[in-house]
Amino acid sequence: MKISHLGEWDLIDQISKRFSRPLPPGTIGIGDDTAVLPSHSGKSQLVTTDMLVEGTHFLADRISAPDLGYKSLAVNLSDIASMGGQPTSVFLSLGLPGHIESGWVDGFFNGFQELADTHCVNLLGGDTTESKSGIVINVTVLGEIETQFIRLRSQARPGDWICVTGCLGDSIAGLNFLLHPEIESSFSNILRQRHWRPKPYVTEGQWLARQTGLHAMMDVSDGLHLTLKEISRRSQCGIEVDLGHLPVSAELREAGRKLGWNVPEMAAAGGEDYVLLFTVSTDSLQELQKNYEKEFQSKIHPIGRITNSGSMVYLQNGVKFEGDFKIWNHFSGKN
Ligand code: ADP
Ligand code: MG
């Protein structure tokens, strides 16, 4: 069978089943945003790795070298953030075609280093090799967390509110502008920038993980719909989300209005926004919203509820939404 018939999740499930030997206590393997390894005195180490492949994740002529360096690290820091952890160190492996200019490599490291410095993360190693096809970037980030604060995809509870830390859909909007340079809007620059340089919610993730009543957490890397599906699968619960409540930036709203885009679909299905999605008990929500705003001068957005049913239900301003989204899935190109 071709892997395009399997899709990314089934393929990962098959890999996972091969390595089904019980893990040592405190160890978490395949299935969350990072692996967890017990460390010393109540702490655990977090490990995550992500690959960016030219032609699949980026087009080399549509992203600058510094932005690509920045983004390669940002997407990995986001996985550490989603567990509630503090990133500590990074490894970087590069497969580069021979025609790449040394100035490009300098630029790549400028962007990479800028974000590494912001989060005080040291580059401790990696690998460099020639690629006979496109550019391949693999980043591994290690992190640290007090074991009691680890937040998993499997910890959502019926009745919880589902919240996100930022706006959805900006990244896919930015990508639209990149792929269709003939379209312009006064906000295309800002939206492209959000696609190139997503914000990893590292400080916010650590803060959130320490709050009472906060249960599951995950970053929205593959889009909201797939993130909710994953929370539902791992926590064995239902989901109810109102598309009318999804936070959308003023820039996307305005660009969408001018260009006739389906903004709720972009917010629900577009990937690479890297906001954090978490679930929190009803009686903790208000206090959490108030304290988060005080701490970060930014809002958290409740978008729906965890339910007892096994299904995912979307509403559009209170009315059941029966439509379908166009979702990207590696290998099959759909989900
Ligand atoms: P994320 O989007 O948070 O980076 P992924 O969807 O890429 O997570 O991966 C889901 C889980 O599957 C993670 O725990 C990841 O480590 C694991 N995984 C993905 N690919 C492989 C692989 N080839 N071998 C082992 N584990 C994998
Ligand atoms: Mg993730």
Side-chain angles (χ1 to χ4, degrees):
M1 183 196 271
K2 290 201 173 70
I3 54 172
S4 60
H5 289 117
L6 270 179
E8 184 186 353
W9 281 7
D10 285 349
L11 190 57
I12 294 173
D13 280 349
Q14 281 192 4
I15 297 169
S16 172
K17 281 195 191 109
R18 277 175 171 268
F19 296 87
S20 55
R21 214 178 322 134
L23 297 171
T27 304
I28 300 174
I30 298 173
D32 223 296
D33 289 292
T34 75
V36 179
L37 303 161
S39 147
H40 53 89
S41 52
K43 293 198 169 174
S44 291
Q45 189 166 62
L46 305 173
V47 187
T48 182
T49 188
D50 251 311
M51 189 149 60
L52 277 80
V53 176
E54 182 178 351
T56 303
H57 298 95
F58 64 92
L59 298 169
D61 62 349
R62 307 283 161 95
I63 185 166
S64 72
D67 287 341
L68 188 58
Y70 187 100
K71 186 167 184 173
S72 311
L73 181 56
V75 304
N76 281 275
L77 293 178
S78 175
D79 277 325
I80 299 284
S82 74
M83 305 293 280
Q86 160 87 52
T88 50
S89 47
V90 57
F91 293 77
L92 168 65
S93 296
L94 290 172
L96 297 174
H99 64 77
I100 295 287
E101 300 282 342
S102 60
W104 185 95
V105 179
D106 267 352
F108 177 91
F109 276 98
N110 287 342
F112 190 93
Q113 198 172 12
E114 183 187 329
L115 189 60
D117 286 349
T118 303
H119 293 281
C120 303
V121 178
N122 290 315
L123 180 64
L124 295 189
D127 197 14
T128 308
T129 176
E130 183 180 2
S131 165
K132 293 291 183 194
S133 48
I135 301 168
V136 179
I137 303 156
N138 183 245
V139 177
T140 301
V141 174
L142 307 188
E144 188 178 66
I145 186 165
E146 280 175 62
T147 305
Q148 57 169 324
F149 295 131
I150 295 173
R151 302 299 171 175
L152 304 176
R153 297 175 178 183
S154 55
Q155 289 170 331
R157 300 183 197 170
D160 279 358
W161 278 93
I162 303 168
C163 302
V164 288
T165 55
C167 290
L168 296 162
D170 282 358
S171 182
I172 189 81
L175 180 63
N176 267 352
F177 284 120
L178 285 174
L179 296 180
H180 302 284
E182 72 280 5
I183 319 174
E184 266 300 321
S185 114
S186 35
F187 299 116
S188 45
N189 270 340
I190 293 177
L191 293 167
R192 274 194 293 258
Q193 200 61 31
R194 294 202 180 128
H195 177 75
W196 287 324
R197 291 197 173 215
K199 166 189 163 70
Y201 285 79
V202 175
T203 321
E204 292 86 347
Q206 287 171 67
W207 184 91
L208 285 167
R210 284 167 167 70
Q211 305 308 306
T212 332
L214 194 135
H215 297 144
M217 192 148 69
M218 181 175 171
D219 68 331
V220 184
S221 51
D222 296 334
L224 177 70
H225 177 68
L226 292 184
T227 306
L228 292 170
K229 248 177 115 169
E230 179 68 356
I231 293 280
S232 158
R233 178 166 86 122
R234 301 274 175 201
S235 295
Q236 306 202 315
C237 60
I239 303 268
E240 188 178 279
V241 161
D242 196 319
L243 298 175
H245 294 166
L246 302 187
V248 170
S249 69
E251 293 85 4
L252 174 55
R253 204 175 289 284
E254 189 52 23
R257 195 181 59 77
K258 284 201 178 129
L259 298 165
W261 286 345
N262 183 344
V263 171
E265 176 174 293
M266 290 167 84
E272 299 201 308
D273 284 313
Y274 296 99
V275 299
L276 296 179
L277 179 143
F278 59 89
T279 78
V280 56
S281 63
T282 315
D283 50 358
S284 303
L285 177 67
Q286 254 193 352
E287 190 70 5
L288 184 79
Q289 282 182 295
K290 196 180 74 191
N291 292 339
Y292 185 91
E293 202 166 336
K294 215 183 326 168
E295 187 77 20
F296 299 108
Q297 290 76 54
S298 162
K299 283 190 189 313
I300 53 175
H301 310 269
I303 58 168
R305 303 296 286 265
I306 298 291
T307 66
N308 266 319
S309 82
S311 56
M312 277 181 60
V313 176
Y314 285 109
L315 307 173
Q316 189 134 39
N317 301 316
V319 181
K320 196 164 177 194
F321 171 81
E322 304 283 4
D324 215 357
F325 306 125
K326 236 172 40 206
I327 308 285
W328 177 257
N329 183 315
H330 283 286
F331 305 118
S332 65
K334 63 182 169 53
N335 186 61

